[in-house]
Amino acid sequence: MDESGDLQQEPIRLHAGGGWVESNDNYFDLIPTELSIPFNLFVSGTVNIDESTYMFSPKVLDRANVIELNTVDIENYGSPDTATGRGGTFLLKEFPKFNTLEIPNRNHYLNLDKEVRKFLCSVHKILSKHQLHFGYRVINEISAYINNAQKYCEPSPKLLAEATDFQMIQKILPKLSGSQSILETPIRDLLTILTATDPDTPMEHLLAMDFQAAKYPRSVDKLQRMARKLVTQGFANYID
């Protein structure tokens, strides 16, 4: 922030010269020393994950929303819904103007629905037992996401649950990686919360549940697949 309290983006340094330098391009005659970044510019990146690549570090995952693009719906390929992207219910009612930027903070968390805060506290408590918990940065960003979903998305009875489900699989679950001895108990405990079942429910029963009937179907589906990998391979990673 500057002296007036306004948030300032750090510019990209282009070269170490003392001022503008000439280029050999017909369009860009001069190159400045740095390039300012506007608030409405957002950068996303893609990466292919296979046996030859390394998973991102926890510090990187804390600062990102991980979105897997591995669903192939051939049956509906080319239908109007898939062509326009209107196949779901999690839709914008208005597009944000992005003319200001507010850093996610504690107020975003305090403004959350009480039931959502209670749910996130339960998830954090489970993960804390196994040193897999998330910190203040993550909870602030999750809270800002859910608040923005309520502000900008079409109203729906399932809106809060959908936004929370998306943040579970984008911000919390990506850090889960390890052997059966490390992940089996936290995954089972998370599944009992996500499916609202008894804490002593056997894993076999949790894996047999229909994830589509759960309140948080995406998270349940992901954890069920990870749990099955633990059984068959003895190791599971968030990225399939």
Side-chain angles (χ1 to χ4, degrees), residues 9 20 42 65 69 77 127-128 154-155 165 175 183 194 231:
Q9 296 269 52
W20 293 70
F42 290 80
N65 275 50
L69 303 175
Y77 185 46
L127 296 176
S128 294
E154 294 284 356
D165 194 15
K175 293 174 68 174
L183 292 183
L194 292 167
V231 174

Side-chain angles (χ1 to χ4, degrees), residues 11-21 30-36:
I12 299 175
R13 189 75 175 178
L14 298 179
H15 60 82
W20 293 70
V21 297
L30 298 173
I31 303 175
T33 57
E34 57 186 31
L35 183 65
S36 298

Side-chain angles (χ1 to χ4, degrees), residues 20-81:
W20 293 70
V21 297
E22 294 185 1
S23 75
N24 58 359
D25 189 272
N26 293 328
Y27 187 78
F28 295 102
D29 295 329
L30 298 173
I31 303 175
T33 57
E34 57 186 31
L35 183 65
S36 298
I37 305 174
F39 288 128
N40 61 350
L41 174 64
F42 290 80
V43 180
S44 62
T46 61
V47 59
N48 293 327
I49 301 293
D50 57 28
E51 66 279 357
S52 66
T53 58
Y54 293 99
M55 185 56 184
F56 295 108
S57 72
K59 289 184 178 181
V60 172
L61 295 174
D62 280 345
R63 291 161 172 78
N65 275 50
V66 179
I67 302 175
E68 286 188 289
L69 303 175
N70 56 8
T71 299
V72 181
D73 188 0
I74 295 180
E75 291 183 0
N76 295 311
Y77 185 46
S79 69
D81 280 345

Side-chain angles (χ1 to χ4, degrees), residues 158 165 194-195 210-218 220-221:
K158 296 182 178 181
D165 194 15
L194 292 167
T195 57
D210 180 9
F211 71 87
Q212 294 180 333
K215 185 176 182 180
Y216 310 101
R218 298 170 185 85
V220 172
D221 178 38

Side-chain angles (χ1 to χ4, degrees), residues 178-180 183-184 187 226-232 234-236:
S179 64
Q180 187 171 10
L183 292 183
E184 183 174 26
I187 285 180
M226 291 182 68
R228 294 187 183 101
K229 279 191 174 182
L230 288 178
V231 174
T232 59
F235 183 90

